[in-house]
mmCIF file of all heavy atoms in Angstrom:
data_model
loop_
_atom_site.group_PDB
_atom_site.id
_atom_site.type_symbol
_atom_site.label_atom_id
_atom_site.label_comp_id
_atom_site.label_asym_id
_atom_site.label_seq_id
_atom_site.Cartn_x
_atom_site.Cartn_y
_atom_site.Cartn_z
ATOM 1 N N VAL T 47 4.787 -8.657 12.621
ATOM 2 C CA VAL T 47 3.494 -8.162 13.084
ATOM 3 C C VAL T 47 3.512 -8.145 14.610
ATOM 4 O O VAL T 47 3.802 -9.156 15.243
ATOM 5 C CB VAL T 47 2.345 -9.065 12.589
ATOM 6 C CG1 VAL T 47 1.002 -8.598 13.138
ATOM 7 C CG2 VAL T 47 2.322 -9.116 11.069
ATOM 8 N N THR T 48 3.229 -6.988 15.207
ATOM 9 C CA THR T 48 3.200 -6.899 16.667
ATOM 10 C C THR T 48 1.787 -6.923 17.217
ATOM 11 O O THR T 48 1.555 -7.432 18.299
ATOM 12 C CB THR T 48 3.891 -5.609 17.169
ATOM 13 O OG1 THR T 48 3.248 -4.490 16.594
ATOM 14 C CG2 THR T 48 5.358 -5.617 16.832
ATOM 15 N N ARG T 49 0.837 -6.361 16.462
ATOM 16 C CA ARG T 49 -0.538 -6.335 16.944
ATOM 17 C C ARG T 49 -1.503 -6.308 15.765
ATOM 18 O O ARG T 49 -1.294 -5.563 14.808
ATOM 19 C CB ARG T 49 -0.746 -5.095 17.815
ATOM 20 C CG ARG T 49 -2.007 -5.132 18.634
ATOM 21 C CD ARG T 49 -2.022 -4.027 19.675
ATOM 22 N NE ARG T 49 -2.462 -2.776 19.065
ATOM 23 C CZ ARG T 49 -1.900 -1.608 19.268
ATOM 24 N NH1 ARG T 49 -0.861 -1.483 20.053
ATOM 25 N NH2 ARG T 49 -2.372 -0.528 18.696
ATOM 26 N N VAL T 50 -2.557 -7.108 15.830
ATOM 27 C CA VAL T 50 -3.611 -7.101 14.819
ATOM 28 C C VAL T 50 -4.834 -6.436 15.451
ATOM 29 O O VAL T 50 -5.263 -6.835 16.529
ATOM 30 C CB VAL T 50 -3.948 -8.536 14.355
ATOM 31 C CG1 VAL T 50 -5.092 -8.520 13.352
ATOM 32 C CG2 VAL T 50 -2.725 -9.212 13.762
ATOM 33 N N GLU T 51 -5.359 -5.415 14.783
ATOM 34 C CA GLU T 51 -6.509 -4.669 15.292
ATOM 35 C C GLU T 51 -7.740 -4.954 14.438
ATOM 36 O O GLU T 51 -7.920 -4.349 13.378
ATOM 37 C CB GLU T 51 -6.217 -3.164 15.271
ATOM 38 C CG GLU T 51 -5.365 -2.678 16.388
ATOM 39 C CD GLU T 51 -6.028 -2.792 17.741
ATOM 40 O OE1 GLU T 51 -7.272 -2.699 17.830
ATOM 41 O OE2 GLU T 51 -5.290 -2.990 18.719
ATOM 42 N N PRO T 52 -8.609 -5.882 14.881
ATOM 43 C CA PRO T 52 -9.810 -6.207 14.094
ATOM 44 C C PRO T 52 -10.742 -5.012 13.890
ATOM 45 O O PRO T 52 -11.364 -4.881 12.842
ATOM 46 C CB PRO T 52 -10.510 -7.292 14.917
ATOM 47 C CG PRO T 52 -9.468 -7.836 15.818
ATOM 48 C CD PRO T 52 -8.498 -6.721 16.062
ATOM 49 N N SER T 53 -10.824 -4.117 14.875
ATOM 50 C CA SER T 53 -11.728 -2.969 14.748
ATOM 51 C C SER T 53 -11.282 -2.013 13.647
ATOM 52 O O SER T 53 -12.103 -1.364 13.005
ATOM 53 C CB SER T 53 -11.833 -2.229 16.072
ATOM 54 O OG SER T 53 -10.570 -1.740 16.459
ATOM 55 N N LEU T 54 -9.986 -1.921 13.404
ATOM 56 C CA LEU T 54 -9.446 -1.060 12.347
ATOM 57 C C LEU T 54 -9.235 -1.812 11.035
ATOM 58 O O LEU T 54 -8.965 -1.196 10.010
ATOM 59 C CB LEU T 54 -8.094 -0.473 12.774
ATOM 60 C CG LEU T 54 -8.077 0.464 13.968
ATOM 61 C CD1 LEU T 54 -6.643 0.810 14.328
ATOM 62 C CD2 LEU T 54 -8.871 1.714 13.668
ATOM 63 N N GLN T 55 -9.320 -3.152 11.076
ATOM 64 C CA GLN T 55 -8.949 -4.003 9.951
ATOM 65 C C GLN T 55 -7.551 -3.619 9.470
ATOM 66 O O GLN T 55 -7.308 -3.359 8.291
ATOM 67 C CB GLN T 55 -9.981 -3.919 8.818
ATOM 68 C CG GLN T 55 -11.249 -4.686 9.111
ATOM 69 C CD GLN T 55 -11.008 -6.174 9.259
ATOM 70 O OE1 GLN T 55 -10.628 -6.845 8.311
ATOM 71 N NE2 GLN T 55 -11.193 -6.714 10.460
ATOM 72 N N ALA T 56 -6.631 -3.568 10.444
ATOM 73 C CA ALA T 56 -5.249 -3.196 10.170
ATOM 74 C C ALA T 56 -4.347 -3.874 11.193
ATOM 75 O O ALA T 56 -4.823 -4.455 12.163
ATOM 76 C CB ALA T 56 -5.080 -1.689 10.245
ATOM 77 N N ALA T 57 -3.057 -3.794 10.946
ATOM 78 C CA ALA T 57 -2.077 -4.370 11.864
ATOM 79 C C ALA T 57 -0.971 -3.354 12.106
ATOM 80 O O ALA T 57 -0.699 -2.492 11.263
ATOM 81 C CB ALA T 57 -1.490 -5.648 11.277
ATOM 82 N N PHE T 58 -0.350 -3.460 13.275
ATOM 83 C CA PHE T 58 0.805 -2.631 13.593
ATOM 84 C C PHE T 58 2.043 -3.506 13.453
ATOM 85 O O PHE T 58 2.084 -4.633 13.939
ATOM 86 C CB PHE T 58 0.667 -2.034 14.991
ATOM 87 C CG PHE T 58 -0.423 -1.019 15.060
ATOM 88 C CD1 PHE T 58 -1.687 -1.367 15.508
ATOM 89 C CD2 PHE T 58 -0.203 0.277 14.634
ATOM 90 C CE1 PHE T 58 -2.709 -0.432 15.546
ATOM 91 C CE2 PHE T 58 -1.217 1.221 14.669
ATOM 92 C CZ PHE T 58 -2.475 0.861 15.120
ATOM 93 N N ILE T 59 3.040 -2.968 12.773
ATOM 94 C CA ILE T 59 4.198 -3.738 12.342
ATOM 95 C C ILE T 59 5.473 -3.120 12.901
ATOM 96 O O ILE T 59 5.687 -1.914 12.791
ATOM 97 C CB ILE T 59 4.290 -3.743 10.795
ATOM 98 C CG1 ILE T 59 2.966 -4.128 10.155
ATOM 99 C CG2 ILE T 59 5.427 -4.605 10.313
ATOM 100 C CD1 ILE T 59 2.557 -5.546 10.330
ATOM 101 N N GLU T 60 6.350 -3.958 13.450
ATOM 102 C CA GLU T 60 7.676 -3.517 13.892
ATOM 103 C C GLU T 60 8.626 -3.716 12.713
ATOM 104 O O GLU T 60 8.902 -4.845 12.304
ATOM 105 C CB GLU T 60 8.131 -4.348 15.089
ATOM 106 C CG GLU T 60 9.548 -4.058 15.534
ATOM 107 C CD GLU T 60 9.764 -2.610 15.935
ATOM 108 O OE1 GLU T 60 8.971 -2.080 16.725
ATOM 109 O OE2 GLU T 60 10.742 -2.026 15.443
ATOM 110 N N TYR T 61 9.099 -2.610 12.141
ATOM 111 C CA TYR T 61 9.966 -2.706 10.965
ATOM 112 C C TYR T 61 11.335 -2.086 11.190
ATOM 113 O O TYR T 61 12.180 -2.097 10.296
ATOM 114 C CB TYR T 61 9.290 -2.052 9.746
ATOM 115 C CG TYR T 61 9.133 -0.564 9.843
ATOM 116 C CD1 TYR T 61 10.018 0.282 9.200
ATOM 117 C CD2 TYR T 61 8.108 -0.004 10.587
ATOM 118 C CE1 TYR T 61 9.896 1.654 9.298
ATOM 119 C CE2 TYR T 61 7.965 1.362 10.681
ATOM 120 C CZ TYR T 61 8.858 2.183 10.045
ATOM 121 O OH TYR T 61 8.723 3.537 10.141
ATOM 122 N N GLY T 62 11.574 -1.533 12.368
ATOM 123 C CA GLY T 62 12.874 -0.953 12.667
ATOM 124 C C GLY T 62 12.879 0.555 12.670
ATOM 125 O O GLY T 62 13.922 1.168 12.868
ATOM 126 N N GLY T 63 11.740 1.196 12.436
ATOM 127 C CA GLY T 63 11.649 2.655 12.471
ATOM 128 C C GLY T 63 11.477 3.138 13.902
ATOM 129 O O GLY T 63 11.543 2.366 14.862
ATOM 130 N N ASN T 64 11.223 4.422 14.055
ATOM 131 C CA ASN T 64 11.033 5.000 15.379
ATOM 132 C C ASN T 64 9.758 4.499 16.039
ATOM 133 O O ASN T 64 9.697 4.321 17.238
ATOM 134 C CB ASN T 64 10.988 6.528 15.289
ATOM 135 C CG ASN T 64 12.301 7.092 14.800
ATOM 136 O OD1 ASN T 64 13.354 6.510 15.020
ATOM 137 N ND2 ASN T 64 12.235 8.211 14.113
ATOM 138 N N ARG T 65 8.709 4.311 15.249
ATOM 139 C CA ARG T 65 7.420 3.839 15.748
ATOM 140 C C ARG T 65 6.988 2.624 14.943
ATOM 141 O O ARG T 65 7.541 2.335 13.896
ATOM 142 C CB ARG T 65 6.360 4.926 15.581
ATOM 143 C CG ARG T 65 6.626 6.139 16.408
ATOM 144 C CD ARG T 65 5.609 7.221 16.077
ATOM 145 N NE ARG T 65 6.040 8.493 16.588
ATOM 146 C CZ ARG T 65 6.899 9.290 15.993
ATOM 147 N NH1 ARG T 65 7.432 8.968 14.845
ATOM 148 N NH2 ARG T 65 7.254 10.430 16.536
ATOM 149 N N HIS T 66 5.950 1.952 15.426
ATOM 150 C CA HIS T 66 5.392 0.836 14.670
ATOM 151 C C HIS T 66 4.715 1.375 13.407
ATOM 152 O O HIS T 66 4.097 2.430 13.436
ATOM 153 C CB HIS T 66 4.362 0.070 15.502
ATOM 154 C CG HIS T 66 4.983 -0.710 16.609
ATOM 155 N ND1 HIS T 66 4.401 -0.850 17.830
ATOM 156 C CD2 HIS T 66 6.150 -1.390 16.682
ATOM 157 C CE1 HIS T 66 5.163 -1.590 18.606
ATOM 158 N NE2 HIS T 66 6.244 -1.916 17.923
ATOM 159 N N GLY T 67 4.827 0.631 12.329
ATOM 160 C CA GLY T 67 4.160 1.010 11.089
ATOM 161 C C GLY T 67 2.728 0.527 11.080
ATOM 162 O O GLY T 67 2.342 -0.362 11.837
ATOM 163 N N PHE T 68 1.925 1.101 10.200
ATOM 164 C CA PHE T 68 0.499 0.797 10.075
ATOM 165 C C PHE T 68 0.284 0.085 8.758
ATOM 166 O O PHE T 68 0.614 0.610 7.693
ATOM 167 C CB PHE T 68 -0.296 2.107 10.118
ATOM 168 C CG PHE T 68 -1.776 1.926 10.049
ATOM 169 C CD1 PHE T 68 -2.498 1.608 11.183
ATOM 170 C CD2 PHE T 68 -2.451 2.081 8.849
ATOM 171 C CE1 PHE T 68 -3.872 1.455 11.130
ATOM 172 C CE2 PHE T 68 -3.819 1.940 8.780
ATOM 173 C CZ PHE T 68 -4.529 1.622 9.924
ATOM 174 N N LEU T 69 -0.258 -1.133 8.807
ATOM 175 C CA LEU T 69 -0.511 -1.933 7.610
ATOM 176 C C LEU T 69 -2.002 -2.198 7.503
ATOM 177 O O LEU T 69 -2.561 -2.953 8.304
ATOM 178 C CB LEU T 69 0.267 -3.255 7.677
ATOM 179 C CG LEU T 69 0.102 -4.210 6.505
ATOM 180 C CD1 LEU T 69 0.683 -3.603 5.227
ATOM 181 C CD2 LEU T 69 0.794 -5.534 6.799
ATOM 182 N N ALA T 70 -2.657 -1.553 6.524
ATOM 183 C CA ALA T 70 -4.084 -1.744 6.305
ATOM 184 C C ALA T 70 -4.323 -3.104 5.651
ATOM 185 O O ALA T 70 -3.456 -3.634 4.947
ATOM 186 C CB ALA T 70 -4.637 -0.631 5.423
ATOM 187 N N PHE T 71 -5.509 -3.655 5.868
ATOM 188 C CA PHE T 71 -5.844 -4.988 5.345
ATOM 189 C C PHE T 71 -5.724 -5.053 3.826
ATOM 190 O O PHE T 71 -5.197 -6.030 3.288
ATOM 191 C CB PHE T 71 -7.261 -5.370 5.785
ATOM 192 C CG PHE T 71 -7.704 -6.714 5.287
ATOM 193 C CD1 PHE T 71 -6.923 -7.834 5.481
ATOM 194 C CD2 PHE T 71 -8.916 -6.857 4.638
ATOM 195 C CE1 PHE T 71 -7.329 -9.085 5.032
ATOM 196 C CE2 PHE T 71 -9.329 -8.092 4.187
ATOM 197 C CZ PHE T 71 -8.540 -9.206 4.380
ATOM 198 N N ASN T 72 -6.178 -4.019 3.108
ATOM 199 C CA ASN T 72 -6.110 -4.066 1.648
ATOM 200 C C ASN T 72 -4.688 -3.922 1.118
ATOM 201 O O ASN T 72 -4.470 -4.036 -0.080
ATOM 202 C CB ASN T 72 -7.031 -3.012 1.023
ATOM 203 C CG ASN T 72 -6.654 -1.619 1.399
ATOM 204 O OD1 ASN T 72 -5.867 -1.402 2.323
ATOM 205 N ND2 ASN T 72 -7.212 -0.645 0.708
ATOM 206 N N GLU T 73 -3.707 -3.684 1.971
ATOM 207 C CA GLU T 73 -2.303 -3.601 1.564
ATOM 208 C C GLU T 73 -1.550 -4.908 1.829
ATOM 209 O O GLU T 73 -0.338 -4.956 1.715
ATOM 210 C CB GLU T 73 -1.603 -2.453 2.301
ATOM 211 C CG GLU T 73 -2.130 -1.082 1.945
ATOM 212 C CD GLU T 73 -1.814 -0.673 0.513
ATOM 213 O OE1 GLU T 73 -0.843 -1.202 -0.077
ATOM 214 O OE2 GLU T 73 -2.542 0.175 -0.022
ATOM 215 N N ILE T 74 -2.275 -5.957 2.197
ATOM 216 C CA ILE T 74 -1.647 -7.254 2.466
ATOM 217 C C ILE T 74 -1.825 -8.150 1.251
ATOM 218 O O ILE T 74 -2.946 -8.442 0.838
ATOM 219 C CB ILE T 74 -2.262 -7.933 3.709
ATOM 220 C CG1 ILE T 74 -2.105 -7.023 4.927
ATOM 221 C CG2 ILE T 74 -1.596 -9.288 3.959
ATOM 222 C CD1 ILE T 74 -2.852 -7.517 6.146
ATOM 223 N N HIS T 75 -0.723 -8.582 0.662
ATOM 224 C CA HIS T 75 -0.763 -9.464 -0.504
ATOM 225 C C HIS T 75 -1.244 -10.851 -0.083
ATOM 226 O O HIS T 75 -0.876 -11.334 0.991
ATOM 227 C CB HIS T 75 0.638 -9.555 -1.124
ATOM 228 C CG HIS T 75 0.628 -10.185 -2.469
ATOM 229 N ND1 HIS T 75 0.637 -11.539 -2.641
ATOM 230 C CD2 HIS T 75 0.582 -9.641 -3.709
ATOM 231 C CE1 HIS T 75 0.614 -11.814 -3.936
ATOM 232 N NE2 HIS T 75 0.576 -10.673 -4.601
ATOM 233 N N PRO T 76 -2.060 -11.519 -0.903
ATOM 234 C CA PRO T 76 -2.578 -12.851 -0.546
ATOM 235 C C PRO T 76 -1.496 -13.896 -0.252
ATOM 236 O O PRO T 76 -1.768 -14.870 0.441
ATOM 237 C CB PRO T 76 -3.387 -13.263 -1.777
ATOM 238 C CG PRO T 76 -3.784 -11.978 -2.416
ATOM 239 C CD PRO T 76 -2.668 -11.012 -2.133
ATOM 240 N N ASP T 77 -0.275 -13.704 -0.722
ATOM 241 C CA ASP T 77 0.805 -14.650 -0.414
ATOM 242 C C ASP T 77 1.076 -14.736 1.084
ATOM 243 O O ASP T 77 1.598 -15.737 1.571
ATOM 244 C CB ASP T 77 2.104 -14.244 -1.114
ATOM 245 C CG ASP T 77 2.077 -14.537 -2.599
ATOM 246 O OD1 ASP T 77 1.159 -15.253 -3.054
ATOM 247 O OD2 ASP T 77 2.967 -14.049 -3.310
ATOM 248 N N TYR T 78 0.749 -13.683 1.831
ATOM 249 C CA TYR T 78 0.995 -13.666 3.273
ATOM 250 C C TYR T 78 -0.163 -14.220 4.085
ATOM 251 O O TYR T 78 -0.057 -14.326 5.293
ATOM 252 C CB TYR T 78 1.307 -12.238 3.742
ATOM 253 C CG TYR T 78 2.662 -11.775 3.285
ATOM 254 C CD1 TYR T 78 2.793 -10.800 2.318
ATOM 255 C CD2 TYR T 78 3.820 -12.328 3.819
ATOM 256 C CE1 TYR T 78 4.036 -10.381 1.889
ATOM 257 C CE2 TYR T 78 5.069 -11.911 3.399
ATOM 258 C CZ TYR T 78 5.165 -10.943 2.437
ATOM 259 O OH TYR T 78 6.396 -10.536 2.015
ATOM 260 N N TYR T 79 -1.279 -14.547 3.447
ATOM 261 C CA TYR T 79 -2.445 -15.033 4.174
ATOM 262 C C TYR T 79 -2.135 -16.362 4.855
ATOM 263 O O TYR T 79 -1.616 -17.283 4.242
ATOM 264 C CB TYR T 79 -3.634 -15.228 3.239
ATOM 265 C CG TYR T 79 -4.304 -13.954 2.797
ATOM 266 C CD1 TYR T 79 -3.745 -12.714 3.043
ATOM 267 C CD2 TYR T 79 -5.513 -14.002 2.122
ATOM 268 C CE1 TYR T 79 -4.374 -11.557 2.632
ATOM 269 C CE2 TYR T 79 -6.145 -12.850 1.708
ATOM 270 C CZ TYR T 79 -5.575 -11.634 1.958
ATOM 271 O OH TYR T 79 -6.195 -10.492 1.558
ATOM 272 N N GLN T 80 -2.450 -16.459 6.133
ATOM 273 C CA GLN T 80 -2.296 -17.687 6.910
ATOM 274 C C GLN T 80 -3.628 -18.438 6.902
ATOM 275 O O GLN T 80 -4.271 -18.607 7.920
ATOM 276 C CB GLN T 80 -1.880 -17.362 8.343
ATOM 277 C CG GLN T 80 -0.567 -16.631 8.458
ATOM 278 C CD GLN T 80 0.605 -17.534 8.094
ATOM 279 O OE1 GLN T 80 0.697 -18.657 8.557
ATOM 280 N NE2 GLN T 80 1.482 -17.042 7.245
ATOM 281 N N ILE T 81 -4.062 -18.849 5.708
ATOM 282 C CA ILE T 81 -5.320 -19.576 5.548
ATOM 283 C C ILE T 81 -4.996 -20.953 4.992
ATOM 284 O O ILE T 81 -3.878 -21.195 4.543
ATOM 285 C CB ILE T 81 -6.284 -18.817 4.603
ATOM 286 C CG1 ILE T 81 -5.643 -18.558 3.237
ATOM 287 C CG2 ILE T 81 -6.740 -17.511 5.233
ATOM 288 C CD1 ILE T 81 -6.537 -17.864 2.236
ATOM 289 N N PRO T 82 -5.961 -21.884 5.030
ATOM 290 C CA PRO T 82 -5.677 -23.220 4.475
ATOM 291 C C PRO T 82 -5.179 -23.135 3.033
ATOM 292 O O PRO T 82 -5.607 -22.261 2.270
ATOM 293 C CB PRO T 82 -7.033 -23.927 4.551
ATOM 294 C CG PRO T 82 -7.760 -23.223 5.649
ATOM 295 C CD PRO T 82 -7.286 -21.805 5.611
ATOM 296 N N LEU T 83 -4.275 -24.038 2.681
ATOM 297 C CA LEU T 83 -3.627 -24.021 1.370
ATOM 298 C C LEU T 83 -4.645 -24.066 0.233
ATOM 299 O O LEU T 83 -4.500 -23.357 -0.756
ATOM 300 C CB LEU T 83 -2.645 -25.198 1.263
ATOM 301 C CG LEU T 83 -1.799 -25.255 0.004
ATOM 302 C CD1 LEU T 83 -0.918 -24.006 -0.077
ATOM 303 C CD2 LEU T 83 -0.942 -26.490 -0.001
ATOM 304 N N ALA T 84 -5.681 -24.878 0.368
ATOM 305 C CA ALA T 84 -6.695 -24.988 -0.685
ATOM 306 C C ALA T 84 -7.397 -23.651 -0.909
ATOM 307 O O ALA T 84 -7.638 -23.243 -2.053
ATOM 308 C CB ALA T 84 -7.714 -26.066 -0.329
ATOM 309 N N ASP T 85 -7.699 -22.936 0.187
ATOM 310 C CA ASP T 85 -8.342 -21.623 0.067
ATOM 311 C C ASP T 85 -7.414 -20.629 -0.621
ATOM 312 O O ASP T 85 -7.846 -19.843 -1.462
ATOM 313 C CB ASP T 85 -8.729 -21.067 1.442
ATOM 314 C CG ASP T 85 -9.908 -21.786 2.059
ATOM 315 O OD1 ASP T 85 -10.493 -22.650 1.374
ATOM 316 O OD2 ASP T 85 -10.225 -21.493 3.229
ATOM 317 N N ARG T 86 -6.129 -20.652 -0.265
ATOM 318 C CA ARG T 86 -5.163 -19.719 -0.861
ATOM 319 C C ARG T 86 -5.011 -19.997 -2.355
ATOM 320 O O ARG T 86 -4.978 -19.081 -3.164
ATOM 321 C CB ARG T 86 -3.807 -19.822 -0.163
ATOM 322 C CG ARG T 86 -2.826 -18.809 -0.715
ATOM 323 C CD ARG T 86 -1.472 -18.811 -0.073
ATOM 324 N NE ARG T 86 -1.205 -19.933 0.775
ATOM 325 C CZ ARG T 86 -0.720 -19.844 2.003
ATOM 326 N NH1 ARG T 86 -0.456 -18.670 2.510
ATOM 327 N NH2 ARG T 86 -0.481 -20.912 2.723
ATOM 328 N N GLU T 87 -4.933 -21.284 -2.734
ATOM 329 C CA GLU T 87 -4.809 -21.632 -4.153
ATOM 330 C C GLU T 87 -6.046 -21.202 -4.927
ATOM 331 O O GLU T 87 -5.940 -20.690 -6.041
ATOM 332 C CB GLU T 87 -4.565 -23.131 -4.303
ATOM 333 C CG GLU T 87 -3.174 -23.547 -3.870
ATOM 334 C CD GLU T 87 -2.974 -25.052 -3.866
ATOM 335 O OE1 GLU T 87 -3.959 -25.803 -4.036
ATOM 336 O OE2 GLU T 87 -1.823 -25.479 -3.678
ATOM 337 N N ALA T 88 -7.237 -21.387 -4.336
ATOM 338 C CA ALA T 88 -8.473 -20.964 -5.003
ATOM 339 C C ALA T 88 -8.503 -19.453 -5.180
ATOM 340 O O ALA T 88 -8.901 -18.946 -6.240
ATOM 341 C CB ALA T 88 -9.685 -21.428 -4.204
ATOM 342 N N LEU T 89 -8.068 -18.715 -4.165
ATOM 343 C CA LEU T 89 -8.029 -17.258 -4.230
ATOM 344 C C LEU T 89 -7.079 -16.793 -5.329
ATOM 345 O O LEU T 89 -7.428 -15.928 -6.139
ATOM 346 C CB LEU T 89 -7.600 -16.685 -2.876
ATOM 347 C CG LEU T 89 -7.610 -15.188 -2.703
ATOM 348 C CD1 LEU T 89 -9.043 -14.669 -2.710
ATOM 349 C CD2 LEU T 89 -6.936 -14.803 -1.411
ATOM 350 N N MET T 90 -5.885 -17.374 -5.381
ATOM 351 C CA MET T 90 -4.910 -16.999 -6.405
ATOM 352 C C MET T 90 -5.407 -17.387 -7.805
ATOM 353 O O MET T 90 -5.201 -16.653 -8.771
ATOM 354 C CB MET T 90 -3.551 -17.652 -6.121
ATOM 355 C CG MET T 90 -2.919 -17.206 -4.815
ATOM 356 S SD MET T 90 -2.651 -15.446 -4.699
ATOM 357 C CE MET T 90 -1.151 -15.300 -5.618
ATOM 358 N N ARG T 91 -6.080 -18.542 -7.919
ATOM 359 C CA ARG T 91 -6.611 -18.997 -9.209
ATOM 360 C C ARG T 91 -7.697 -18.028 -9.704
ATOM 361 O O ARG T 91 -7.703 -17.636 -10.863
ATOM 362 C CB ARG T 91 -7.167 -20.409 -9.072
ATOM 363 C CG ARG T 91 -7.531 -21.076 -10.364
ATOM 364 C CD ARG T 91 -7.844 -22.566 -10.235
ATOM 365 N NE ARG T 91 -8.706 -22.895 -9.111
ATOM 366 C CZ ARG T 91 -8.298 -23.516 -7.985
ATOM 367 N NH1 ARG T 91 -7.040 -23.863 -7.844
ATOM 368 N NH2 ARG T 91 -9.148 -23.797 -7.026
ATOM 369 N N GLU T 92 -8.604 -17.602 -8.797
ATOM 370 C CA GLU T 92 -9.657 -16.655 -9.177
ATOM 371 C C GLU T 92 -9.065 -15.312 -9.584
ATOM 372 O O GLU T 92 -9.520 -14.694 -10.546
ATOM 373 C CB GLU T 92 -10.648 -16.470 -8.029
ATOM 374 C CG GLU T 92 -11.554 -17.658 -7.825
ATOM 375 C CD GLU T 92 -12.523 -17.441 -6.674
ATOM 376 O OE1 GLU T 92 -13.026 -16.311 -6.542
ATOM 377 O OE2 GLU T 92 -12.771 -18.404 -5.941
ATOM 378 N N GLU T 93 -8.028 -14.866 -8.880
ATOM 379 C CA GLU T 93 -7.379 -13.601 -9.233
ATOM 380 C C GLU T 93 -6.700 -13.707 -10.594
ATOM 381 O O GLU T 93 -6.777 -12.789 -11.407
ATOM 382 C CB GLU T 93 -6.364 -13.225 -8.153
ATOM 383 C CG GLU T 93 -5.844 -11.820 -8.292
ATOM 384 C CD GLU T 93 -4.994 -11.393 -7.110
ATOM 385 O OE1 GLU T 93 -5.357 -11.694 -5.964
ATOM 386 O OE2 GLU T 93 -3.963 -10.758 -7.358
ATOM 387 N N ALA T 94 -6.059 -14.854 -10.873
ATOM 388 C CA ALA T 94 -5.412 -15.059 -12.169
ATOM 389 C C ALA T 94 -6.452 -15.109 -13.292
ATOM 390 O O ALA T 94 -6.224 -14.565 -14.380
ATOM 391 C CB ALA T 94 -4.593 -16.346 -12.148
#
Side-chain angles (χ1 to χ4, degrees):
V47 177
T48 58
R49 194 168 82 224
V50 177
E51 281 294 330
S53 61
L54 296 174
Q55 284 297 295
F58 291 96
I59 310 290
E60 174 59 50
Y61 68 100
N64 296 331
R65 295 174 195 82
H66 289 143
F68 182 82
L69 180 66
F71 179 52
N72 62 346
E73 295 292 336
I74 302 172
H75 192 277
D77 286 348
Y78 288 110
Y79 285 10
Q80 299 290 312
I81 57 178
L83 185 62
D85 288 354
R86 183 179 12 229
E87 288 173 351
L89 185 69
M90 297 302 279
R91 190 169 45 252
E92 287 180 40
E93 191 172 318

